[in-house]
Amino acid sequence: MNKRTITFCLLLLGLLASVTVAQSTAITVIKAGRLVDPETGTAAANQVIIIEGERIRAVGANLAIPAGANIIDLSKLTVLPGLVDSHTHMAITYKEQPENNYYYLTYVMDSTPLRAIQAASNGIQLLNAGFTVIRDVGNNGMYADTALRQAIEQGWLPGPTVIPSGIIIGGTGGQFWPTPEMYKRHNIVYPEYIDANSHDEIVRAVRENMLFGARTIKLCIDCKPWGYSVEDIKLAISEAAKGGCKVEGHVQTPEGAQRAIDAGIYIIGHGNALTPEHHRQMAEKGIFLAGTDTPFTKYRGSEAAFKRTVEKLRSAWEKKVPLTFSTDFDYWNERMKDEKTGEWLSRGDLTIAFLDTWKAAGIPPTDILRAITINGYKAADIIKERGPIKPGLFADLIAVAGDPLTDIDALRNVQFVMKNGMVFKKDGVMTPEKFFHPGPVRMPNGRYTR
Ligand SMILES: [Zn+2]
């Protein structure tokens, strides 16, 4: 190669480098009227957030605004980190008709591809309501949850960051009670559950889920009387840790709760079976609670069940359990309409309505805000990469009118949503064009990324 060619090549490289830099350093500046820090439960006035590409570069009061920056004026709004539903199900929707709310039938009648498309729609609806992260913990057919995560990550469509569990792991039967012929001849339990009884089977099941893209592992602790022992749960925890996954245990009995606590599980799903003594131990060990605290509404629940749920949530809060906001949402019926307008409620509206339970439990807005943000990022095990509005982290944030630190219902009306530095919603209207591509814009090199 002669000198002129080398010079030319260097020039070309320089040019390419400058083009790459110019593309990746698009600067966006957000002027926030108020910026909430849910960790401390405080807000600072007139803050500037500088975003470089997908990530936050700087946050402060008197930052110099870079020349040529795209400026977004949210000076009349309160800016805060995106919300988290720490226990939901994106790819199953059981209904009163035709299945009488019996999800065995949903599983038989709705294909995994159909459920995956439902999940994609649910993701858009949740992002519209300000949910930038969700933990999706099973009952998603044949890995519709990990596919949704991949599709969003690759840039096919907008949606929250999905922390998928893959298929729920349980002892024989999972949460089903099938007939012998459906179980033995038709393997009806799979793919809603992986039967894993022996230690070898537990290891295999955890590895399979991680191979197919799980970012968390979900165990049925006590779905059956032959539920998992402390040793079984410990084995699942240590195997999951090899793939960087934390474990959530579905718990429905006091004995199951105690075994999960003794094994040092990361998250307990469902709060109904927990006693104040469990709450005390969970607080001591720092075990997260995804209580799935269903409110009583005209479309769901009963007053008696609501009263119990409120009491349990109150007790957990009093004992200082690390609480997350969680819904267990996986159903739909024709009464899910706005009482005033008569219009359908979106999946986002239905999810944020769970605030009713937290308010009924008398939990202060600052603690609810921490549960629906910071504790959610911790439970999802992503707090080092996204969530808090801090330099270096992904630019995920939302804005609302009013002050969620004193009135948590401000979260019901999200005006602005940014995900990965891109505007998804502005002035209360979805503007998702930039999220749609005719191909993947971010390739994980042919494998599931971690
Ligand atoms: Zn659930």
Side-chain angles (χ1 to χ4, degrees), residues 87-89 137 139 168 218 248 250 270 292 328-330:
H87 180 128
T88 190
H89 303 276
V137 285
N139 296 127
I168 299 169
K218 167 98 172 282
E248 170 172 342
H250 164 109
H270 313 299
T292 64
D328 207 16
F329 224 94
D330 51 10

Side-chain angles (χ1 to χ4, degrees), residues 152 154-158 422 432-442:
I152 293 167
Q154 291 184 6
W156 286 98
L157 79 168
M422 289 195 290
E433 291 87 349
K434 283 199 168 66
F435 289 82
F436 292 105
H437 301 278
V441 291
R442 195 198 299 267

Side-chain angles (χ1 to χ4, degrees), residues 79-97:
V79 174
L80 68 153
L83 312 179
V84 187
D85 185 340
S86 289
H87 180 128
T88 190
H89 303 276
M90 302 288 275
I92 190 163
T93 312
Y94 62 84
K95 306 168 286 297
E96 290 177 344
Q97 294 296 331

Side-chain angles (χ1 to χ4, degrees), residues 35-47:
L35 178 61
V36 168
D37 180 355
E39 179 89 69
T40 56
T42 58
N46 299 320
Q47 297 290 295

